[in-house]
Amino acid sequence: MSATRPVALIIGMGLGLSAALAQRFATGGYAIAGLARSPDKSAVLAAAMAEQGHKLDLRAVDAGDFTALGSTVHAVEAQLGPIEVLIYNAYSATPAVPSQIPLDALVADFRVNVGGALAAVQAVLPAMQARGKGTVLLTGGGLALDPTGWLPAASLAIGKAGIRNLAQTLHKELEGSAIRVGTVTVTGQILPGTPLAPETIAEHFWQLHTMPAPAPVEVIL
C-alpha cells in the first residue's frame, strides 16, 4: 500500500454495504482500513480486492468499546497514514417491541449505534482539522424518519434517530470549515438488483464526499 494514498476508514466492516463502500473508495484512490467485531468474515472481500490491486487492512474492535475504538483508529492513522474519510456503518439491534426491550440491551445497542460514531469522530477530527481536510459520513436509516413501521426494530430505530441527529449537529458545528459531515439515510432493505443495491448506495456516499461545497448534510434514498 502506497504511503501517499489517503485513507478511508470504514467502521462496521462486512460483506454488504461496507464491502461496496470499500470497493468504491478504493477505486477512487483511497487506501481502505476496515474495523469490525469479527473482521475474519471479510477475508473473502480482502482477497477479491487484492486481485483488483487494492489492499483492505482489516482490524478487530468492538465499536461499543470507546477506548479500544479510539486506540484502533489512532493506530490506523499512525501505521497507514492520514484518515481523510471516516465512514461509520456499525450497528447493533435487539429485536423487541419498545415495552419489551431489556434496558441493558438498549444501552449496549446505543453505544454501538451512536456512541461509537461519536467516539470515532472525536478520534479523527483533531488531525482532520489540523490538515484542513476531511469527510465524516454516517449510515442512516429510514427508521429515523418513521420508527412505527417495524416495531420489533425499536432499538435500531432509536439508534438511527440518534445517528441522524448526530450528523446534523456535527454538520452545524463544523459548518464553514474544511471538514464535511453527512449522512446517507437508507429508507428500505438493501438488496442487490434494486434501487437500494449496495453499489448504488456506495455511489451516493462517494458523491456526498466529492460534490462541490456546500454539500448537504443528508441524502435520503
Side-chain angles (χ1 to χ4, degrees):
M1 181 180 298
S2 171
T4 62
R5 297 179 70 193
V7 175
L9 173 62
I10 301 171
I11 300 177
M13 196 68 228
L15 295 179
L17 175 57
S18 290
L21 289 165
Q23 292 171 327
R24 180 62 186 89
F25 278 78
T27 300
Y30 284 83
I32 309 298
L35 308 186
R37 187 193 297 267
S38 302
D40 290 347
K41 294 179 180 179
S42 299
V44 63
L45 172 63
M49 290 182 62
E51 292 180 359
Q52 301 168 10
H54 305 304
K55 182 176 179 181
L56 172 58
D57 184 286
L58 293 170
R59 304 183 186 216
V61 70
D62 179 351
D65 183 337
F66 304 151
T67 300
L69 180 59
S71 296
T72 304
V73 170
H74 291 143
V76 168
E77 191 144 48
Q79 295 164 17
L80 301 184
I83 296 172
E84 185 174 309
V85 181
L86 168 66
I87 300 175
Y88 194 84
N89 191 46
Y91 76 93
S92 180
T94 299
V97 295
S99 64
Q100 301 299 316
I101 301 172
L103 294 179
D104 288 347
L106 176 66
V107 172
D109 288 345
F110 194 84
R111 286 183 67 88
V112 174
N113 293 331
V114 182
L118 183 54
V121 170
Q122 291 179 346
V124 301
L125 189 56
M128 285 183 174
Q129 290 173 317
R131 293 191 301 270
K133 189 175 187 180
T135 297
V136 173
L137 300 174
L138 311 177
T139 302
L143 289 169
L145 307 177
D146 178 10
T148 63
W150 187 17
L151 290 180
S155 173
L156 182 59
I158 291 168
K160 289 306 181 184
I163 207 76
R164 186 169 188 256
N165 279 282
L166 178 60
Q168 291 177 347
T169 53
L170 283 169
H171 182 272
K172 185 64 175 179
E173 177 188 351
L174 298 169
E175 191 173 31
S177 78
I179 311 304
R180 175 166 297 187
V181 179
T183 181
V184 177
T185 296
V186 184
T187 60
Q189 188 175 4
I190 300 174
L191 289 172
T194 72
L196 294 180
E199 295 79 11
T200 301
I201 298 170
E203 185 62 32
H204 283 280
F205 274 81
W206 177 258
Q207 291 173 3
L208 193 54
H209 166 56
T210 57
M211 70 176 55
V217 65
E218 182 176 34
V219 173
I220 299 177
L221 303 180

